[in-house]
Each structure stands twice: as C-alpha cells, then as structure tokens.
Amino acid sequence: MKLGLNLGYWGAGNDADNIALAKEADRLGYSVAWVAEAYGSDTPTVLAWVGAQTERIDLGAAVMQIPARTPAMTAMTAATLDTLSGGRFRLGLGVSGPQVSEGWHGVRFDAPLGRTREYVDIVRMALRRETVRYDGKHYTLPLPDGPGKALKLTVHPVREQIPVYLAAVGPKNLELAGEIADGWLAIFFSPENAKELLEPLRAGAAKAGKGTEADPLAGYDIVPTVPVVLGDDLEAAAEPLRHYTALYIGGMGSREKNFYNQLAVRMGYEEAAAKVQDLYLARQHRDAAAAVPLELIDRTALIGPRDRVRDRLVRYAEAGVSTLTISPFAGSLQERVHVVRTMAELIGETGLAE
C-alpha cells in the first residue's frame, strides 16, 4: 500500500505550509500529493506550483470539476501539467454537486453519469492525439452546421496514458468509475464497509474486462482520503473531525440530494445522518457536529494512539486500499509535519510499504 497526501484547498493563508508538507512528503517517498478545488483556489495552478518545488511525488487533481471546464480544456491542462512535471500528473475528475455546478459554473446538474462517460471519452481521445470528433448525447464536437473544425492536440504528452481517477460516492457512479477510470477517489471510506463499497466498483471493472477474471480490480488504484489525528485520547482525537464530518453529511448539498448523507445511511447510520442534517440545515452547526457518532468518525478516519493507528493501517490494506491518502488534521505546521512523518514510519513498520 502506498501513501498519498491530501493538501486540500489553498488560498486561506496555508500556501507556504502546504508547500512545506508537499516537500516533506516528497522527501519521505510519498506516492502522490492531491489538491482540491470547489469555488476558491483552482487545482491546476496549485499543482503547477507544487510540481515546480518537488522532484518525485506525483501531482494529483482531487478533483478537477467536470462542469468547470470543457473536456478539451481538461485534456490540454492534463497534457501540459504532465509535460511540465516529467510525467507526474494524475487526472482526478468529479461532477461536483448541484449547488456548485448550477450556482457557480452555470451548468445544469443533469445526467451526471452520462455526462461523465462522454467527458472521459473526449479527454482520452484528445490525449491520444486523435482528431476529436464526437457525436454524443451531451457533447458534440465539432458543433454541427457551423464553422467549427475537428482538431487534434498540438502538444505531445510525455506519456502514452495519463491515469484518470473518478471521485464517486453512490453505487451507480462507483460502477461507472470501475468501468471507465484507472482509479477511484473515495471519501468516508470504512474498511468495515469495504465489501459493499467495492462491489459496484468491481462490477464495473468486470464489465470493462479489467484486471483478471478472479479479481477485476487487480491493478486498479483504490484511493481513499483518510483524516489523521494522533493522540492518546480517542474522544479528543475525534473532536477536530466532528465539524468536517457534519459539513459533508449535513450541509454538502440539499436535503433531497446529499450524496454523503446517503452514504452514511448505507453505512448504517440512518438516524444519526438525519439528525445531523436537520441540525446543520437549521444552522445549529455545533449541535450537528456533536451529533456525529464517534463510531462513524473512527471507522472513516485514523485517530488515536500511534499503535492503534498502525493496526488500522493494516485493516485498510486488507480492505483493498492501494493508495492511502492522509489528510493531517492538526493545528500547526509542525504538528502536521509530525503526522506526515509518523505515517511514513508506521507504514514501514507494518511491512505494507511498496
């Protein structure tokens, strides 16, 4: 199992700290540093900045939002970042949510599965340097009855194939990720629920003839982002994650369409998920955070004493995780660097490091 580092969002005064974390992860042999975007800092700009100041670590988009860019623009950006970094770029894509897609980008959040499939088709076609002609339900290139011309990417990517990852939560999107992507970017991944989570992913991979007959996910990169808080007191270690978890389960989306809330329900926390959402949408954010079950946090994060975290690392590997991306939830830069170093030590102690 490899280690990744999630650097999250930028632009909140954390830029220098994140560069320091990326450099330390690079020095320690971490596999990849992932960068996020919502409606603040964008992923490609930040990855170019990180890539210029690191040497070996891969540069992962987690994620570039599908409604934010045309597929051709995404292919151009991917080819450019991969070339500038000497073949270190990983393209993570996601449809975002209806609030951001429609409210920020002005793109209707309809048919997300069909749009994602066509989007990835066009991106890969462009990266193969084919002349891009596409007649889909959601995308048509060139536009008909106009002056548009079918074009080919002018630059030559340094690799034949740039790995594509999909951020997916629901079963149908997971099946699509297994079918058309090289890896899955997961959030709130629980080793105890891995069988149910991986079943649709495995079905999609089998449909595409991936891996082996015995294991369609062989060679497929399963990449959960896992918050990490080290400390002797389990309750105290869980505390920084309460508001984070409540935000996703309670406030990320509407009452009718919140993928993370639905995930918590599928994990067996229906009553708690409803309570957290009710409180969060009523703007009682502290109460919503307090209502998040400790067990849910414990199952989807690495918290507690060092030895306990080491043992949980083994559970993630046994559950099928191939790249475990850590997100250090600590106050100071020094504390976060300590987490990055400790996780490198622990994965070495378990014998899981590749």
Side-chain angles (χ1 to χ4, degrees):
M1 187 168 69
K2 299 176 182 177
L3 280 179
L5 173 66
N6 190 306
L7 296 172
Y9 303 99
W10 291 53
N14 59 343
D15 300 14
D17 286 0
N18 277 346
I19 284 294
L21 287 175
K23 287 182 174 180
E24 184 64 11
D26 189 30
R27 184 186 71 82
L28 291 168
Y30 274 60
S31 177
V32 57
W34 301 96
V35 169
E37 68 178 20
Y39 42 97
S41 56
D42 73 292
T43 293
T45 305
V46 172
L47 287 177
W49 184 245
V50 174
Q53 300 184 67
T54 54
E55 297 178 0
R56 298 175 299 166
I57 196 167
D58 276 6
L59 311 168
V63 297
M64 287 169 63
Q65 299 170 91
I66 285 175
R69 303 167 182 85
T70 67
M73 184 70 247
T74 291
M76 291 166 61
T77 303
T80 304
L81 280 170
D82 202 51
T83 300
L84 289 174
S85 65
R88 290 191 281 150
F89 179 62
R90 305 188 194 184
L91 174 58
L93 297 169
V95 292
S96 189
Q99 284 73 24
V100 173
S101 181
E102 299 192 9
W104 186 247
H105 297 301
V107 176
R108 292 292 182 196
F109 191 81
D110 60 342
L113 297 179
R115 291 176 67 88
T116 299
R117 182 184 293 277
E118 292 188 10
Y119 195 98
V120 172
D121 277 350
I122 297 168
V123 168
R124 282 192 163 139
M125 183 184 297
L127 289 174
R128 290 193 300 267
R129 299 196 71 250
E130 298 176 9
T131 300
V132 178
R133 294 185 179 89
Y134 200 85
D135 185 16
K137 183 177 180 181
H138 307 283
Y139 296 95
T140 303
L141 293 170
L143 290 175
D145 305 320
K149 179 181 179 182
L151 299 171
K152 179 193 295 185
L153 188 68
T154 60
V155 299
H156 292 255
V158 296
R159 288 186 290 176
E160 290 185 5
Q161 183 177 346
I162 294 173
V164 174
Y165 292 73
L166 285 185
V169 178
K172 290 183 179 178
N173 208 7
L174 278 168
E175 184 174 343
L176 181 69
E179 181 185 352
I180 70 172
D182 303 300
W184 169 42
L185 298 173
I187 188 171
F188 296 113
F189 181 94
S190 163
E192 288 74 22
N193 293 85
K195 184 178 180 181
E196 306 95 280
L197 288 169
L198 297 184
E199 188 175 335
L201 199 71
R202 184 173 284 107
K207 184 188 299 184
K210 294 181 179 178
T212 65
E213 187 174 346
D215 183 11
L217 292 177
Y220 191 90
D221 202 7
I222 297 171
V223 190
T225 292
V226 183
V228 180
V229 182
L230 302 173
D232 293 333
D233 187 316
L234 197 65
E235 289 270 4
E239 195 62 29
L241 303 180
R242 289 193 171 278
H243 286 277
Y244 159 80
T245 308
L247 167 64
Y248 278 86
I249 294 176
M252 200 68 79
S254 64
R255 185 180 298 277
E256 295 75 25
K257 189 169 286 189
N258 181 323
F259 307 120
Y260 309 101
N261 188 281
Q262 293 164 10
L263 174 61
V265 170
R266 291 195 298 274
M267 291 172 63
Y269 296 98
E270 183 174 2
E271 184 177 338
K275 183 177 181 180
V276 169
Q277 187 177 60
D278 287 344
L279 290 167
Y280 205 95
L281 294 180
R283 297 186 178 278
Q284 299 177 42
H285 297 161
R286 288 185 180 179
D287 292 336
V292 176
L294 173 61
E295 182 187 62
L296 173 58
I297 296 173
D298 190 28
R299 287 168 65 176
T300 56
L302 290 166
I303 59 174
R306 188 182 191 280
D307 290 350
R308 190 177 189 274
V309 169
R310 182 187 59 210
D311 293 342
R312 287 290 290 170
L313 273 175
V314 176
R315 290 287 294 114
Y316 276 91
E318 292 173 343
V321 172
S322 47
T323 302
L324 188 134
T325 296
I326 67 161
S327 180
F329 270 73
S332 69
L333 172 60
Q334 184 178 5
E335 290 170 323
R336 280 178 283 155
V337 168
H338 173 66
V339 170
V340 169
R341 290 174 178 169
T342 300
M343 294 304 294
E345 293 170 2
L346 291 178
I347 201 167
E349 290 176 15
T350 60
L352 296 172
E354 290 191 357

